[in-house]
């Protein structure tokens, strides 16, 4: 299965855009304290980058939206429920994303030769089935869109997201040196 690798213009959620009145109040207050304080405390919106834990929650929301979207009922037979967050799976995913970003590689196999099932088992997760999606993109919405644009009814990234057998998920995101996001989704049907 081909793994998405695409670069795009960064996305900023509407929830993160500054409101003009708030921005004006911040700028006016900072001007009263002096220009040097303003330069140190007001970060330009163009340089704003959400923390990776915020992006992980955003990815969870996108996955659960796709699982319950009426347009996917034919594939899931209406059986896919929202996935529960599992901190152990998230830690596995985060460590894999961090390793890929740090070591400059992109793949399901870890530097130690481990595969996703090995890593999930080492984390203490007792599972009946497990799967992993990875992406290298500028934002999580782009990654999820690429995953979901894959062919229906196939064993691919889309199939992992919509698999009604999976009950839990962990998402891990790390930034590469150039700002690219390394995204790992770990899925499991836990025993």
């Amino acid at each position: 299965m081909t793994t998405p690798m695409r670069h795009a213009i960064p996305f900023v959620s509407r929830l993160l855009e500054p409101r003009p009145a708030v921005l004006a109040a911040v700028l006016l207050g900072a001007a009263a304290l002096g220009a040097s304080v303003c330069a140190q405390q007001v970060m330009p919106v163009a340089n704003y980058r959400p923390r990776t834990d915020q992006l992980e929650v955003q990815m969870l929301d996108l996955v659960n939206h796709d699982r319950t979207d009426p347009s996917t009922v034919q594939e899931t037979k209406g059986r896919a429920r929202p996935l529960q967050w599992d901190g152990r799976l998230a830690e596995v995913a985060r460590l894999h994303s961090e390793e890929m970003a740090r070591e400059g590689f992109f793949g399901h196999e870890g530097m130690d030769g481990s595969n996703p099932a090995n890593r999930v088992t080492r984390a203490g997760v007792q599972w009946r089935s497990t799967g992993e999606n990875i992406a290298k993109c500028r934002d999580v919405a782009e990654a999820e869109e690429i995953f979901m644009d894959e062919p229906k009814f196939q064993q691919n990234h889309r199939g992992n997201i919509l698999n009604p057998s999976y009950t839990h998920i962990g998402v891990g995101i790390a930034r590469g040196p150039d700002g690219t996001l390394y995204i790992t989704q770990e899925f499991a049907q836990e025993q």
Side-chain angles (χ1 to χ4, degrees), residues 56-119:
E56 292 167 359
V57 171
Q58 183 183 359
M59 178 61 80
L60 170 67
D61 291 342
L62 290 169
V63 167
N64 280 334
H65 176 268
D66 288 335
R67 288 176 63 84
T68 59
D69 190 294
S71 68
T72 63
V73 168
Q74 188 179 10
E75 291 171 85
T76 66
K77 297 179 180 37
R79 294 188 348 232
R81 301 289 176 248
L83 296 170
Q84 294 179 298
W85 185 262
D86 185 305
R88 298 167 302 172
L89 292 173
E91 184 66 13
V92 169
R94 198 171 297 116
L95 289 172
H96 188 61
S97 291
E98 289 170 355
E99 181 181 51
M100 289 190 295
R102 181 181 61 253
E103 301 296 333
F105 78 94
F106 186 70
H108 292 285
E109 185 175 309
M111 295 294 287
D112 63 355
S114 65
N115 64 40
N118 299 141
R119 293 189 294 269

